[in-house]
Amino acid sequence: MERSRARWLPLALAPAAVVCAVTAIGVASRHGELTTYAGRSTAAATVELAAGLVLIGAGAATWWLRPARVWGALAMAAGIAWFAPDWIGWQGGPGGVRIAAVATQGVVVAAAARLAITSGPSRLARPLVAAIWAATAAVTVGRLLLYDPLGDPACFDYCAANPLLVGGGDHAVARGLDLADAALAVFATLAALGAAVTVALRTGAARRSLLPLVLPALALLGAWAVRVVALAADPGDDPQRGALVASFVARAVAMAALAAGLLWAVSRARRGALALRRLGRASGSLEDALASATGDAMLRVAFPLTSGDGWIDGDGAPVAMPARGGDRAVSLITREDRPIAAVLHDAAGLDARALQEEVGAAARLAVDNERLRAEARAQLRELRLSRARIVEAGDAER
């Protein structure tokens, strides 16, 4: 029941996210003509709204279709945080709303970095993501507690009293935070670039599934890095500046591409599980069906021996399970809480939870029958090997 509720959560949150996005554009159009991109022109407002809504929609769909992954939740959070500059630039708006927007603005970069970096099989992925989130939080807290907009001569979009300010504020603090933000953006971009290279060197199935996700995230981070580096060199987030406008457009395009990449990745991952619906009626083996559906030529299916001592393939030959933390993942198919098959696949090409959910009773029966045939072939294989050993022993004695 809890899993079912969690699956419907994104569909419940999506309407609220859409209302928040549309309201942010409305606020920018009326109260941010000089301080926001959306308030500057109708074209900019349309681009911003479209990019945010597309990412929110793709995130909700991904979260619903693949709840085991955090991709969907991250995409929705990034889509909502995309509109934070509109709330920050709300001239005369409530201080609490503008402070909350400052606190959430960095989520876009951190979420994009998380999507890109963890797509590549690297032991450094988790530490890198943790470092980026920690640095994002540190810069955000620094701005909330130490930045005095009224004392900053370069203040542009948020020039109001900071209700959370600790002490008198210092202009040097603002410059230090800008430099730290620039360093963070460059670091996240380089980490995402490394992940993209790693994915490009993987199997064909992984490249086809993950590159449409990793490359837009990398482009989004790169465009963000251009923005913060430009601000560090020349403070003042003026939506009239050419470099900042170019960064804004590039980020919007990258977000739309990221939304498309999310849907592409999740659709490929579920395609292998959906192929099992036809397994009970179609000819051919489980391995052939899944390899064809996922595009993973290296996909293998193993069956457990009744004795519980090892795994065999469809021809009855022994199969070694891959080590944890490698490029290959193992997803089990169970019947009455008993494993009847194991799918050895690229982690990007198949969703283990979707696999379990989509395998119906007929498919499980077909898989179980295939397991029994494989075990019979294994026994016949062992019998032939035993006879060969007896013949060889006799020849050796003669």
Side-chain angles (χ1 to χ4, degrees):
M1 181 64 71
E2 292 182 359
R3 180 179 295 180
S4 177
R5 290 177 180 175
R7 182 168 186 174
W8 288 98
L9 182 60
L11 300 186
L13 294 177
V18 171
V19 170
C20 177
V22 174
T23 304
I25 294 297
V27 167
S29 300
R30 291 195 60 183
H31 307 283
E33 295 180 357
L34 300 177
T35 56
T36 65
Y37 299 96
R40 181 187 179 192
S41 68
T42 303
T46 302
V47 169
E48 181 178 332
L49 181 61
L53 290 182
V54 166
L55 189 58
I56 290 172
T62 302
W63 193 352
W64 183 70
L65 291 171
R66 202 171 182 182
R69 292 269 192 170
V70 298
W71 290 355
L74 287 170
M76 285 192 71
I80 295 172
W82 165 249
F83 297 98
D86 298 328
W87 300 108
I88 296 173
W90 185 0
Q91 299 305 299
V97 173
R98 302 177 79 178
I99 285 292
V102 172
T104 58
Q105 187 176 17
V107 171
V108 177
V109 177
R114 167 68 171 79
L115 287 170
I117 295 172
T118 56
S119 296
S122 171
R123 295 180 180 179
L124 296 176
R126 291 184 181 275
L128 286 174
V129 169
I132 290 171
W133 278 104
T136 301
V139 171
T140 299
V141 172
R143 287 208 168 103
L144 291 175
L145 300 180
L146 303 176
Y147 176 57
D148 181 12
L150 297 181
D152 183 7
C155 171
F156 193 90
D157 52 353
Y158 180 29
C159 297
N162 180 1
L164 302 180
L165 182 63
V166 176
D170 189 343
H171 177 55
V173 172
R175 293 290 299 138
L177 291 172
D178 287 343
L179 294 174
D181 203 10
L184 170 60
V186 172
F187 174 77
T189 302
L190 292 176
L193 178 61
V197 172
T198 303
V199 170
L201 295 176
R202 293 180 68 181
T203 63
R207 287 197 301 270
R208 288 189 292 271
S209 295
L210 293 177
L211 279 183
L213 175 67
V214 176
L215 293 181
L218 174 60
L220 178 58
L221 290 169
W224 180 265
V226 170
R227 173 187 179 274
V228 293
V229 169
L231 289 176
D234 184 9
D237 196 358
D238 184 353
Q240 304 285 343
R241 291 170 58 183
L244 300 184
V245 172
S247 171
F248 167 76
V249 174
R251 282 179 284 144
V253 172
M255 287 181 63
L258 179 60
L262 275 171
L263 296 178
W264 169 258
V266 74
S267 66
R268 284 188 62 87
R270 287 182 62 84
R271 200 175 303 163
L274 292 173
L276 290 172
R277 288 182 174 179
R278 302 185 296 272
L279 187 62
R281 306 186 301 270
S283 59
S285 67
L286 168 64
E287 184 172 299
D288 292 339
L290 288 178
S292 175
T294 60
D296 186 357
M298 298 180 64
L299 183 145
R300 295 292 178 267
V301 174
F303 303 96
L305 292 169
T306 304
S307 61
D309 185 19
W311 297 78
I312 55 176
D313 62 14
D315 294 327
V319 174
M321 291 290 110
R324 289 186 177 182
D327 292 349
R328 310 300 291 173
V330 178
S331 298
L332 295 178
I333 300 176
T334 60
R335 185 182 184 197
E336 297 178 352
D337 297 328
R338 179 174 59 88
I340 58 175
V343 183
L344 287 62
H345 59 93
D346 192 290
L350 195 63
D351 185 351
R353 180 173 293 184
L355 181 69
Q356 282 288 354
E357 291 176 353
E358 297 296 344
V359 178
R364 279 188 167 83
L365 181 59
V367 173
D368 210 7
N369 290 336
E370 190 172 339
R371 179 187 64 82
L372 294 174
R373 289 194 296 270
E375 190 159 8
R377 293 190 185 103
Q379 293 173 355
L380 180 60
R381 179 189 180 91
E382 182 60 31
L383 178 61
R384 289 173 177 169
L385 292 175
S386 178
R387 288 177 177 176
R389 286 193 293 268
I390 292 174
V391 172
E392 290 176 357
D395 290 342
E397 288 180 0
R398 286 194 295 271

